[in-house]
Amino acid sequence: MKPILLSIALFFCFVASAQQGKNFSMFSLNNMQHNPAAVGTNDNDIKVFANFRYQYFTVSDKPFQTISASGEIKLFNSTSTRKKGYFGVGASVINDMSGDGRYMVNNIAVPIAYHIYMNERNSLSLGVSPGMYQRTLGSGNLTWESQWNGYEFDQTIAPGVANSSAANFDLGAGLFYKFQSTNTNKIYFSVSANHILQPEISFNMQDKMYMRYTGQFGMRHKFELSTFGISPQILAMFQGPNQNILFGSNFDFYLQEPSLRTLFYTPTIFSFGVYHRLRDAIVVNFQFSFKGMTVAASYDSNINSMLPASKSIGGFEVAFVYDLMLNKKGRFIY
């Protein structure tokens, strides 16, 4: 009976894990992970980003953990008022691991975008993101029915499934629109499609990825003659039968405003936000930005069907962003 129960439990865990995807709560800090057209839409010249997410650590002895890192740079970007467009190029790495089987997903992408200035306030970006999608299952920490000798599980017996890995070429594409009147007043819309080629990533069974469609909306608005602003954000992702919809707003307190005599954008801001992941979790975050650096942390309190097991302890996430300027020449306002 034990082997049968183990097999059922293992199958359930594997299926649940196989559907995992990126589920970052502070998605607006790094839009290019969802849409390649967003690469190069940062305020300054070079942006580096890193974050770590740890979730469901009260449910499993091997909680889900996700690590990501990325960098992006603007190329041929002119400070002239007659500028027509520029390129954005980046690189992104995401590692996701969960469960006793050490089920791992690696996603590497190299997004490239071209940004067209329609006028001084409006821009439209088109991007593509070639890359690689890989997943691996290690069976070393699992026990299988074939290892049951009648008294116990014998790890010296060959497991039912050997270590498996599958990888394939991946491709994404997107559009990104931005309206910006000042550095503290902007709005954006974006749409993208990922896993366009629906790569085969199967091992021991046929498994083809669904294409993922993503829509985003965001804005930053600082109220006139005030040190207070709001930054509402919406993310909607649809992939096969699955969906992830997250919406809410940050509330921004400007401790030091950006320079009025230059085009430098390095304000000091303390911000906190409240979001809702539809039918899944309540999310709160805190962010502090200083001289182009942002340190942020968020906490998910889940309200889904896992509530009895998780005790409402969903996930914890930390992030670091550094958006720096390469050349300050020509950025003074005369």
Side-chain angles (χ1 to χ4, degrees):
M1 186 66 178
K2 286 184 179 180
I4 297 175
L5 293 176
L6 177 63
S7 298
I8 294 173
L10 178 61
F11 176 78
F12 175 79
C13 291
F14 178 74
V15 171
S17 297
Q19 296 175 7
Q20 69 183 10
K22 299 188 291 290
N23 198 27
F24 298 118
S25 294
M26 296 184 287
F27 61 92
S28 63
L29 294 179
N30 194 27
N31 286 326
M32 78 174 219
Q33 284 188 340
H34 295 296
N35 189 340
V39 62
T41 57
N42 48 305
D43 293 309
N44 295 313
D45 298 316
I46 291 182
K47 176 181 174 181
V48 293
F49 172 87
N51 77 337
F52 174 77
R53 181 175 177 84
Y54 198 62
Q55 60 186 0
Y56 292 135
F57 43 88
T58 59
V59 176
S60 170
D61 292 334
K62 299 291 185 181
F64 290 19
Q65 64 180 40
T66 308
I67 302 171
S68 75
S70 64
E72 56 190 289
I73 185 171
K74 296 178 180 179
L75 300 177
F76 313 115
N77 186 31
S78 170
T79 58
S80 168
T81 57
R82 296 182 179 180
K83 55 191 176 182
K84 296 299 182 181
Y86 66 95
F87 283 94
V89 179
S92 174
V93 178
I94 300 174
N95 172 268
D96 193 54
M97 183 181 296
S98 61
D100 291 333
R102 310 298 284 175
Y103 176 72
M104 183 187 300
V105 173
N106 291 301
N107 195 186
I108 301 172
V110 183
I112 303 169
Y114 185 69
H115 308 273
I116 304 167
Y117 288 100
M118 296 181 286
N119 55 42
E120 288 301 308
R121 295 186 175 186
N122 295 272
S123 64
L124 181 66
S125 310
L126 302 89
V128 294
S129 180
M132 183 196 72
Y133 191 96
Q134 179 200 37
R135 64 179 187 172
T136 302
L137 176 67
S139 61
N141 297 322
L142 302 176
T143 53
W144 303 84
E145 183 176 3
S146 60
Q147 295 176 311
W148 181 254
N149 61 17
Y151 301 96
E152 61 182 0
F153 287 100
D154 186 351
Q155 294 289 343
T156 63
I157 301 175
V161 176
N163 290 352
S164 300
S165 179
N168 214 326
F169 177 75
D170 199 14
L171 183 66
L175 294 172
F176 190 98
Y177 166 77
K178 181 172 70 172
F179 170 83
Q180 180 171 343
S181 56
T182 67
N183 280 327
T184 54
N185 291 278
K186 62 180 68 175
I187 185 170
Y188 74 86
F189 299 92
S190 80
V191 291
S192 64
N194 290 284
H195 313 308
I196 293 175
L197 303 179
Q198 295 185 274
E200 291 281 357
I201 51 171
S202 59
F203 43 80
N204 298 325
M205 64 180 71
Q206 291 297 317
D207 192 3
K208 193 172 186 179
M209 290 200 69
Y210 290 107
M211 193 180 301
R212 187 177 72 240
Y213 302 96
T214 304
Q216 286 182 256
F217 163 81
M219 68 177 292
R220 176 188 293 156
H221 178 72
K222 178 179 172 295
F223 293 97
E224 189 174 358
L225 302 178
S226 172
T227 58
F228 176 70
I230 58 173
S231 300
Q233 307 283 337
I234 301 174
L235 171 72
M237 299 196 317
F238 303 92
Q239 186 172 17
N242 306 309
Q243 66 178 31
N244 179 19
I245 300 174
L246 182 62
F247 57 91
S249 181
N250 269 66
F251 303 92
D252 308 322
F253 299 87
Y254 288 76
L255 307 181
Q256 180 179 342
E257 298 188 39
S259 172
L260 298 177
R261 296 182 179 273
T262 72
L263 298 179
F264 308 158
Y265 185 68
T266 55
T268 301
I269 305 173
F270 171 75
S271 177
F272 74 90
V274 180
Y275 292 77
H276 174 56
R277 182 177 290 109
L278 191 62
R279 295 189 297 272
D280 185 69
I282 302 297
V283 182
V284 295
N285 74 61
F286 297 90
Q287 304 177 21
F288 180 72
S289 300
F290 176 71
K291 292 187 176 181
M293 292 182 288
T294 298
V295 178
S298 71
Y299 176 74
D300 293 25
S301 179
N302 69 294
I303 56 174
N304 56 20
S305 58
M306 292 186 65
L307 186 61
S310 69
K311 299 179 177 61
S312 197
I313 300 176
F316 179 72
E317 188 175 322
V318 293
F320 172 79
V321 185
Y322 188 23
D323 191 1
L324 64 152
M325 190 176 296
L326 288 180
N327 184 8
K328 296 183 179 181
K329 184 179 179 181
R331 302 207 181 210
F332 287 89
I333 301 174
Y334 295 100

